[in-house]
Amino acid sequence: MNLALWITAGLLAAVCLIGSAKMFVPREKIGAMGASAEWALDFSPAALKAIGAVELLAAAGLVLPAVLDIAPVLVPLAATGLVLLFIGAITVRLRRGERITIAGDVIYLVLAAFVAWGRFGPESFTG
């Protein structure tokens, strides 16, 4: 179980690290990447930078506290924050009528919930 949680946290960290690129890419360029990225045009550049910053912090929070053994309680908190982020992403996709592209967000939501549950519960770093 511990190995599965580490792999899942690493996968989510990689996804969030890649997703944090929206801090540096203009929103028009993101929106032009295809139908699944048009949501970016609904947000201001500052909001996209904030979302990217949250994803960057989540990527660091999922792995670094446990690896460095400095405040490992931050791992399940970061995973819980990702659950909230992906709930927001799913809400945006539903409002935009993008039901086909929602599958990825639902999968990431389930993975983040798994890490939060596992690190708060049976495989806690503090217990």
Side-chain angles (χ1 to χ4, degrees), residues 58-74:
L62 284 169
V63 177
L64 290 179
V67 168
L68 299 175
D69 197 27
I70 299 173
V73 72
L74 294 176

Side-chain angles (χ1 to χ4, degrees), residues 35-121:
S36 65
E38 288 178 355
W39 64 268
L41 299 175
D42 292 346
F43 292 89
S44 69
L48 288 177
K49 287 182 193 289
I51 294 168
V54 167
E55 289 179 340
L56 184 62
L57 289 172
L62 284 169
V63 177
L64 290 179
V67 168
L68 299 175
D69 197 27
I70 299 173
V73 72
L74 294 176
V75 174
L77 294 175
T80 302
L82 269 181
V83 167
L84 297 174
L85 180 78
F86 288 120
I87 287 172
I90 290 168
T91 303
V92 167
R93 294 219 189 260
L94 287 173
R95 285 185 179 169
R96 290 182 51 83
E98 299 175 355
R99 300 197 190 291
I100 294 173
T101 59
I102 207 167
D105 295 325
V106 170
I107 290 169
Y108 295 141
L109 170 70
V110 169
L111 291 176
F114 171 67
V115 172
W117 168 80
R119 291 304 183 199
F120 272 129

Side-chain angles (χ1 to χ4, degrees), residues 10-35:
L11 175 69
L12 282 171
V15 167
C16 288
L17 194 60
I18 292 167
S20 70
K22 65 179 65 70
M23 292 187 331
F24 311 106
V25 179
R27 77 182 188 135
E28 291 77 20
K29 192 169 183 180
I30 296 171
M33 289 182 181

